[in-house]
C-alpha cells in the first residue's frame, strides 16, 4: 500500500522525536511491503521564522491533501511575545480546524512495566488504569470570539464559549461509538450546574443515549471528574467532553499514567485523514539533548496505521515492540527507575526498530 504522510517536525524536541517515528515507519514499510512518502510541512515557531506565519495556507493545503498528518510538537519561549494570532499554537488550532478534525482521542493507559512511575498510590494503580478521553476539538471557548476592551479605565477581556447541537451531537456519537468498541461505559463530563452550554451538552447526550441502548451513559461535573481521575481512575472506560475541559482533564490523566512522553493521540473528523501527535509539547528544556522520550510519537504513528490506514497488524507490531523494549528494562530519563537501563531518544528508537526486526 502507498500512503502520503504530511510530516510536521515543529519546534523544540519535535524534530528529534519525529525522526525516530519516521525510522520506525520506514522499518514497517520494509517489513510489510508498503511505501510511505513523506512531505515536510512547516508549522509553529519554525514557520514563523521562515514565513512570518505559524501555518501558511500552502502548508495547510499539503496536510489536507495527504493521507494523514504526523506531528512532533510546536512552540517555545522564543515566540511567547508574538501577537496572539501569530503564536505557534495558533498554527495548531488552524490545522485542526482546516483538517476538520473535531474529535481528539487520548488513551490514558498504564503500561504494566511503568506502574511504579505513576504518582498515585499502588492500591489505586493496581485496580487498573485504562480509559480514553474523547475531547471536542474545534469548538467551544478556544474557537469562540476573543475580545479585549477598556471600560471605566479598566481593561476587560472576553472569551466566548458556544456550542451548537450538531457540534455536540457529532462528538457525542464518537463517544458512544468508542464506548461500544470497549467496555460500553460512557461518562459525559460538563458543568451543567453553571453553564448553559453544558446544559445543552447534557441534553444532547441523553437524546443520543436512546440510540445506543447497549452503552451505559453517566454524567459527571468537570470538577468532580478532576477529583475522580486521581481517586478512582479504574471507574472510567470512555469520557466524552468539550474542548477546554478535555484539554485539562487529558493532561491530568496523562500524569497519573507516569509520563507525558508515553502518550499518543489521534484527531479525527469525517474522513480517514487524521492528525496524529504525542500529547506533550515541544519541551524546550530538553530540546537538542537527545534525552526526550520518542515513544508517544512512535505510538502516535501506530495509531495512524490503525485508524487511518487500516493496518492493524503493523500497528500491533509497533506496540508489541515498545512493550518488549520496556520488558527488557530500557528507559528514557523521564520514565527511569531503579534497576533499569537509561537510554537516549535515538537509542530508544533503535531498540524499538531492532525489536521489529526480530519478529
Ligand atoms: P511540555 O509538554 O513541552 O513539557 C512539560 C514537561 O514535560 C517538561 O519538563 C518536559 O521536559 C517534559 N516532557 C515533555 N515531553 C517529553 C518527552 N517526550 N520526553 C521527556 N520529557 C518530556 O509542556 P510545556 O513546557 O508547558 O510547553 C512547552 C511548549 O510546548 C510551549 O511553547 C507550549 O505552548 C507548547 N505546547 C505545544 C503542544 C503541541 O505542539 N501540541 C502541546 C502543549 C504545549
Amino acid at each position: 500500500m502507498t500512503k502520503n504522510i504530511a510530516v510536521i517536525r515543529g519546534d523544540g524536541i519535535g524534530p528529534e522525536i519525529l525522526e525516530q517515528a519516521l525510522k520506525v515507519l520506514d522499518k514497517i514499510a520494509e517489513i510489510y511491503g508498503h511505501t510511505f512518502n513523506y512531505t515536510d510541512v512547516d508549522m509553529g515557531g519554525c514557520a514563523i521564522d521562515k514565513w512570518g506565519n505559524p501555518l501558511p495556507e500552502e502548508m495547510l493545503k499539503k496536510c489536507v491533501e495527504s493521507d494523514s498528518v504526523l506531528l512532533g510538537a510546536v512552540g517555545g519561549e522564543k515566540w511567547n511575545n508574538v501577537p496572539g494570532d501569530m503564536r505557534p499554537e495558533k498554527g495548531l488550532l488552524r490545522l485542526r480546524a482546516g483538517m476538520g478534525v473535531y474529535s481528539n482521542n487520548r488513551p490514558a493507559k498504564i503500561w504494566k512495566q511503568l506502574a511504579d512511575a505513576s504518582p498515585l498510590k499502588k492500591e489505586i494503580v493496581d485496580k487498573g488504569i485504562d480509559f480514553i478521553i474523547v475531547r471536542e476539538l474545534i469548538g467551544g471557548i478556544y474557537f469562540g470570539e476573543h475580545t479585549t476592551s477598556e471600560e471605566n479605565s479598566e481593561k476587560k477581556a472576553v472569551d466566548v464559549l458556544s456550542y451548537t447541537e450538531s457540534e455536540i451531537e457529532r462528538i457525542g456519537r464518537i463517544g458512544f461509538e468508542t464506548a461500544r468498541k470497549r467496555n460500553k461505559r460512557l461518562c459525559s463530563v460538563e458543568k451543567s450546574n453553571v453553564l448553559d452550554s453544558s446544559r445543552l451538552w447534557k441534553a444532547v447526550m441523553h437524546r443520543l443515549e436512546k440510540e445506543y441502548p447497549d452503552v451505559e451513559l453517566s454524567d459527571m461535573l468537570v470538577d468532580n471528574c478532576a477529583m475522580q481521575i486521581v481517586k478512582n481512575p479504574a471507574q472510567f472506560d470512555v469520557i466524552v467532553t468539550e474542548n477546554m475541559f478535555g484539554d485539562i482533564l487529558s493532561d491530568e490523566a496523562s500524569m497519573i499514567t507516569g509520563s507525558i512522553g508515553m502518550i499518543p493521540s489521534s484527531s479525527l473528523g469525517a474522513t480517514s485523514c487524521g492528525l496524529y501527535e504525542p500529547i506533550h509539547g515541544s519541551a524546550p528544556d530538553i530540546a537538542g539533548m537527545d534525552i526526550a522520550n520518542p515513544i508517544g510519537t512512535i505510538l502516535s504513528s501506530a495509531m495512524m496505521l490503525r485508524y487511518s490506514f487500516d493496518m492493524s497488524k503493523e500497528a500491533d507490531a509497533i506496540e508489541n515492540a515498545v512493550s518488549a523494549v520496556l520488558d527488557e528494562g530500557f528507559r528514557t530519563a523521564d520514565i527511569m527507575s531503579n534497576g533499569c537501563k537509561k537510554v537516549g531518544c535515538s537509542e530508544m528508537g533503535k531498540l524499538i526498530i531492532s525489536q521489529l526486526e526480530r519478529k
Side-chain angles (χ1 to χ4, degrees):
M1 218 183 264
T2 298
K3 293 289 175 189
N4 299 315
I5 303 169
V7 167
I8 307 176
R9 295 167 203 270
D11 310 310
I13 59 169
E16 305 165 43
I17 52 178
L18 206 80
E19 200 55 42
Q20 301 314 315
L22 295 185
K23 285 181 181 164
V24 168
L25 283 174
D26 285 342
K27 182 51 71 180
I28 288 287
E30 184 190 315
I31 297 172
Y32 293 91
H34 301 304
T35 302
F36 297 139
N37 301 316
Y38 307 122
T39 304
D40 272 306
V41 169
D42 299 323
M43 188 181 89
C46 59
I48 297 173
D49 289 350
K50 204 163 158 188
W51 308 103
N53 182 334
L55 183 65
E57 266 313 304
E58 59 273 28
M59 295 292 161
L60 174 60
K61 192 162 173 272
K62 285 184 188 182
C63 294
V64 173
E65 286 172 352
S66 71
D67 291 315
S68 254
V69 180
L70 188 60
L71 163 67
V74 296
E77 211 173 322
K78 181 178 172 194
W79 305 280
N80 276 356
N81 296 321
V82 299
D85 216 38
M86 277 297 165
R87 285 182 63 94
E89 295 77 7
K90 207 69 187 180
L92 189 53
L93 296 184
R94 261 193 243 150
L95 177 67
R96 289 170 178 163
M99 289 180 70
V101 287
Y102 53 79
S103 164
N104 179 248
N105 311 304
R106 286 191 186 185
K109 177 182 156 128
I110 205 138
W111 291 75
K112 66 180 189 315
Q113 302 93 331
L114 302 181
D116 287 347
S118 173
L120 297 185
K121 286 187 184 145
K122 189 173 177 317
E123 58 262 34
I124 296 177
V125 173
D126 284 349
K127 284 197 222 156
I129 300 176
D130 185 2
F131 62 95
I132 289 193
I133 298 185
V134 175
R135 163 190 168 195
E136 200 290 323
L137 202 58
I138 56 172
I141 200 162
Y142 294 173
F143 286 86
E145 200 184 330
H146 308 289
T147 49
T148 48
S149 57
E150 199 150 325
E151 268 175 33
N152 305 326
S153 317
E154 193 179 27
K155 282 207 173 109
K156 178 180 171 186
V158 177
D159 302 294
V160 176
L161 164 51
S162 85
Y163 271 108
T164 61
E165 268 188 288
S166 55
E167 282 175 323
I168 300 171
E169 179 169 335
R170 66 184 181 182
I171 188 74
R173 288 192 184 283
I174 297 219
F176 277 103
E177 296 290 343
T178 308
R180 212 167 228 185
K181 291 186 194 120
R182 294 176 46 101
N183 294 321
K184 302 186 171 52
R185 284 181 293 115
L186 179 65
C187 180
S188 164
V189 172
E190 28 69 7
K191 187 74 183 163
S192 55
N193 54 342
V194 179
L195 300 174
D196 275 351
S197 57
S198 280
R199 283 190 272 276
L200 181 62
W201 180 279
K202 190 172 173 180
V204 173
M205 289 297 156
H206 282 275
R207 169 163 62 74
L208 291 178
E209 183 186 12
K210 297 180 183 63
E211 293 178 43
Y212 299 86
D214 50 328
V215 176
E216 183 193 319
L217 176 69
S218 59
D219 306 296
M220 196 177 276
L221 295 178
V222 63
D223 36 0
N224 185 25
C225 185
M227 290 191 279
Q228 295 299 327
I229 284 177
V230 288
K231 198 174 161 212
N232 181 17
Q235 71 185 284
F236 295 113
D237 179 24
V238 180
I239 290 173
V240 64
T241 192
E242 63 98 71
N243 201 345
M244 183 168 63
F245 298 162
D247 189 8
I248 298 166
L249 292 177
S250 53
D251 269 13
E252 183 192 14
S254 71
M255 275 322 292
I256 63 167
T257 64
S259 170
I260 197 170
M262 292 291 298
I263 306 177
S265 77
S266 68
S267 303
L268 289 158
T271 71
S272 64
C273 177
L275 170 63
Y276 296 86
E277 56 179 318
I279 64 152
H280 57 75
S282 60
D285 52 332
I286 56 167
M289 296 162 75
D290 195 30
I291 59 170
N293 187 347
I295 295 179
T297 316
I298 290 170
L299 292 174
S300 299
S301 71
M303 283 184 98
M304 177 175 74
L305 299 183
R306 189 183 303 284
Y307 295 112
S308 282
F309 301 166
D310 223 359
M311 296 180 184
S312 313
K313 66 177 186 306
E314 291 85 339
D316 288 344
I318 295 177
E319 287 165 5
N320 292 338
V322 168
S323 190
V325 169
L326 296 175
D327 277 341
E328 288 182 357
F330 294 105
R331 304 280 188 273
T332 43
D334 56 313
I335 51 172
M336 184 62 191
S337 61
N338 280 346
C340 291
K341 291 159 264 187
K342 199 197 263 187
V343 296
C345 179
S346 46
E347 186 60 24
M348 181 54 88
K350 277 188 201 139
L351 287 163
I352 292 167
I353 288 166
S354 70
Q355 281 296 336
L356 286 171
E357 283 166 342
R358 279 190 225 171
K359 299 291 159 203

